């Protein structure tokens, strides 16, 4: 159980629809915080108060580990680093999300345009203009790749690459104790979205985020932790069953999305219009998330050979089912 481990869960409020985010403090040497939450006053106040009440001084934080480059998880990292000099650790693949390099924003935008969504719609979402509120610049980022070990005084925690929700998403596995910090890979109350990104090897292609996510879920089944400490929501015991149910959920969704793909090349449709069929009531900017969800499944279906894809003269993907 969590209370027997040198781990504190700190649920922090966020200004985002997802609600609270869990920050975790590992009370060992070096004192480490996983996902310090957004740079948002109520969250910051609560974090500092929690540390104080736990008898921890802010200056004692030596290391900040970020599971992935989303503002609700990493926003405070730069501020804490400025105040403490703590090391900020991020998987190499996620760094551009934290630094918001112009190339990154450009690629993010370009890859979304392959779904048939309009540039005007993307412009309404600050994320596609490089505007990421509730974050603080991070002066110095230390990167890593692969599945490396995070050393503590008398134990080690493995940094597992678990892509899907984000290309460089990391889960932390304390094998000896059977504890998995799952970030946004596995959440008890919601199914994390497989966000599309460009393929780092071929920037004009979408990376296969759903395939990556299902593989990451399989990994949870294979390592079979006894306790999962997610990025949002309560701890989950025996998370392999939850991972299995998430895989099953996507299998059903794959069949549903397959059923709305038109028959015949002449009727081929882009992911944006298919998302309006799959989510007929979607409003405003939620269309962006709807398109992402649908295209991630379409790519998976195309890779399985169940549907066909071709790219039109504007670079937009069109999908169809072969006539029998
Ligand atoms: Zn996230």
């Amino acid at each position: 159980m969590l209370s027997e481990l040198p781990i504190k869960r700190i649920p922090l409020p966020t200004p985002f629809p997802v609600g609270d985010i869990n920050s975790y403090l590992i009370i060992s040497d070096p004192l480490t915080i996983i996902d310090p939450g957004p740079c948002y006053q109520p969250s910051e106040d609560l974090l500092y108060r929690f540390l104080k009440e736990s008898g921890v001084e802010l200056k004692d934080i030596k290391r900040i580990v970020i599971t992935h480059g989303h503002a609700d998880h990493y926003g405070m990292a730069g501020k804490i680093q400025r105040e403490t000099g703590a090391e900020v650790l991020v998987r190499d693949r996620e760094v551009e999300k934290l630094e918001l390099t112009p190339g990154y924003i450009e690629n993010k935008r370009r890859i979304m345009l392959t779904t048939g969504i309009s540039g005007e719609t993307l412009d309404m979402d600050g994320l596609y203009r490089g505007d990421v509120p509730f974050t603080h610049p991070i002066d110095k980022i230390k990167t890593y790749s692969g599945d490396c070990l995070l050393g503590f005084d008398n134990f080690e925690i493995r940094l597992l690459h678990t892509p899907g929700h984000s290309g460089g998403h990391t889960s932390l596995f304390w094998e000896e104790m059977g504890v998995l910090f799952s970030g946004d890979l596995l959440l008890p109350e919601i199914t994390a979205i497989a966000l599309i990104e460009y393929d780092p090897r071929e920037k004009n292609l979408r990376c296969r985020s759903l395939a990556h996510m299902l593989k990451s879920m399989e990994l949870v089944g294979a390592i079979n932790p006894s306790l999962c400490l997610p990025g949002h929501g309560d701890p989950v015991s025996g998370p392999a069953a939850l991972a299995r149910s998430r895989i099953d959920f996507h299998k059903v969704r794959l069949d549903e999305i397959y059923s709305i793909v038109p028959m015949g090349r002449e009727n081929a449709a882009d992911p944006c219009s298919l998302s309006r069929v799959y989510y007929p009531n979607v409003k405003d900017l939620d269309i962006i998330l709807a398109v992402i969800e649908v295209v991630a499944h379409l790519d998976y279906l195309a890779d399985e050979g169940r549907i066909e894809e071709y790219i039109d003269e504007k670079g937009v993907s069109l999908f169809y089912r072969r006539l029998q």
Side-chain angles (χ1 to χ4, degrees), residues 143-209:
T143 62
Y144 61 92
S145 55
D147 289 348
C148 53
L149 288 167
L150 195 64
F152 288 87
D153 213 8
N154 45 19
F155 59 92
E156 287 174 325
I157 292 181
R158 190 169 290 280
L159 298 168
L160 296 175
H161 187 199
T162 49
H165 174 64
S166 186
H169 186 283
T170 293
S171 301
L172 294 86
F173 186 40
W174 187 0
E175 192 170 1
E176 220 182 318
M177 295 296 161
V179 174
L180 179 74
F181 299 87
S182 64
D184 277 0
L185 168 66
L186 195 57
L187 302 170
E189 278 149 42
I190 45 171
T191 306
I193 188 164
L195 291 166
I196 58 161
E197 294 179 12
Y198 62 87
D199 186 324
R201 290 158 306 178
E202 178 42 86
K203 293 198 162 67
N204 287 320
L205 293 181
R206 295 180 295 270
C207 77
R208 293 347 215 183
S209 55

Side-chain angles (χ1 to χ4, degrees), residues 68 70 73 165 184:
H68 63 293
H70 292 166
H73 294 258
H165 174 64
D184 277 0

